[in-house]
Amino acid sequence: MPASVELEQQVEKFIYGIETGSPLSQGPELVVIFEWLARDVTRFFLIEPAALAELSPMQMKMLNVSSATINKVAVKLANKLFKRRDNQELHAVAHYWQSICSRLDENRAYVFYPMEPEFDRRIHSALVAVRAGADLDHNEVADLLIKLMKDVLQHFFLQTTELVEMGNIGRVMLNLGVESVEKALIILLNKVVRHLTPHQFRVFVEHYAQLSKKLNEKPVVGLGDNASLALTGLTAV
């Protein structure tokens, strides 16, 4: 997923603060990362394809409500779980973000994760069907959307929470937040995605297909001082 300039700069700022031993807690900087991340995710995976598909005003309203819910929950959880962490606790988090937010070219950074081969196959199978003019299975496309969003939630947010110690209260808050996001996605699925026209489904599939990038033999330069990570054979989102 292409990272906004704001997200890229915030990741660099957070990593720099951890690597240089800043006396100030970098927890608040991590919270801002999640604020921009939530905006980028909802924009790239929901708002942009919806606008391209020219959804109705009512459909866009429901989509915007779901996006706002996801953004609100992400920022609220990040504040509760990370804001007061000391920098020692956040070293592993900085290393993780250094590995998933990288510049794949000179123009911009991307946030990525290794996609399951079977899921990658499903996306490209849907794309082949779209370009051949075949009818798409609405349930299949809806399932692809939900899978994408759940994967993004897991790799871009939940993975970070696994790198810090968390008590029972924090774990309960996290589970409630995840349930809220998944509920918003299910509402979006039932009220909007399942009712798209064949043309709108095609627009969504085309949009998702372009977010899948092969990193074969392509060096990935991580953000932060002296950061580099060589990955091959992965699919980035």
Side-chain angles (χ1 to χ4, degrees):
M1 180 189 75
S4 63
V5 173
E6 293 85 357
L7 176 59
E8 178 187 1
Q9 291 177 343
Q10 188 60 33
V11 171
E12 288 182 322
K13 183 178 181 181
F14 169 67
I15 292 173
Y16 181 80
I18 294 295
E19 288 187 341
T20 58
S22 171
L24 299 177
S25 170
Q26 296 302 296
E29 303 299 342
L30 180 58
V31 172
V32 178
I33 285 178
F34 283 111
E35 181 177 351
W36 283 111
L37 176 66
R39 293 180 185 180
D40 280 6
V41 166
T42 53
R43 181 172 68 248
F44 281 109
F45 287 94
L46 299 176
I47 303 298
E48 282 192 357
L52 291 171
E54 298 182 336
L55 268 60
S56 70
M58 182 57 69
Q59 288 174 319
M60 286 300 299
K61 181 178 180 179
M62 288 187 286
L63 187 142
N64 287 330
V65 169
S66 295
S67 298
T69 298
I70 293 170
N71 292 343
K72 182 178 179 180
V73 170
V75 174
K76 183 177 180 179
L77 278 177
N79 267 296
K80 295 291 185 181
L81 299 177
F82 300 116
K83 187 174 183 178
R84 292 180 173 81
R85 300 279 180 175
D86 62 49
N87 291 350
Q88 188 62 37
E89 293 180 280
L90 297 176
H91 268 280
V93 175
H95 178 75
Y96 179 69
W97 269 92
Q98 197 171 59
S99 73
I100 69 169
C101 189
S102 303
R103 277 188 168 271
L104 303 188
D105 54 53
E106 295 181 356
N107 296 320
R108 73 181 314 167
Y110 290 79
V111 184
F112 60 91
Y113 68 86
M115 186 182 289
E116 299 168 7
E118 174 60 20
F119 185 52
D120 191 28
R121 184 197 64 76
R122 289 173 62 193
I123 289 180
H124 286 283
S125 293
L127 180 63
V128 169
V130 162
R131 291 175 175 170
D135 290 334
L136 291 173
D137 183 334
H138 285 206
N139 289 329
E140 170 67 5
V141 177
D143 288 346
L144 287 175
L145 172 60
I146 295 300
K147 171 66 174 170
L148 270 174
M149 295 304 293
K150 285 187 174 182
D151 279 357
V152 166
L153 180 64
Q154 174 62 44
H155 290 279
F156 296 167
F157 187 81
L158 295 181
Q159 191 69 29
T160 304
T161 68
E162 295 174 8
L163 299 174
V164 296
E165 292 186 8
M166 193 177 306
N168 292 334
I169 295 178
R171 186 62 59 186
V172 169
M173 290 173 51
L174 178 62
N175 291 338
L176 290 174
V178 171
E179 288 177 7
S180 296
V181 170
E182 291 184 345
K183 182 178 179 180
L185 289 174
I186 290 172
I187 292 174
L188 182 65
L189 168 68
N190 292 327
K191 299 293 186 180
V192 177
V193 178
R194 292 193 190 280
H195 299 284
L196 297 179
T197 67
H199 167 71
Q200 290 171 330
F201 268 109
R202 291 187 175 89
V203 171
F204 268 72
V205 171
E206 287 277 7
H207 184 75
Y208 293 147
Q210 73 169 335
L211 294 175
S212 175
K213 294 181 177 293
K214 294 292 185 181
L215 305 184
N216 294 317
E217 302 177 359
K218 177 79 173 180
V220 180
V221 181
L223 302 183
D225 290 351
N226 304 316
S228 65
L229 181 68
L231 298 178
T232 58
L234 298 182
T235 299
V237 173

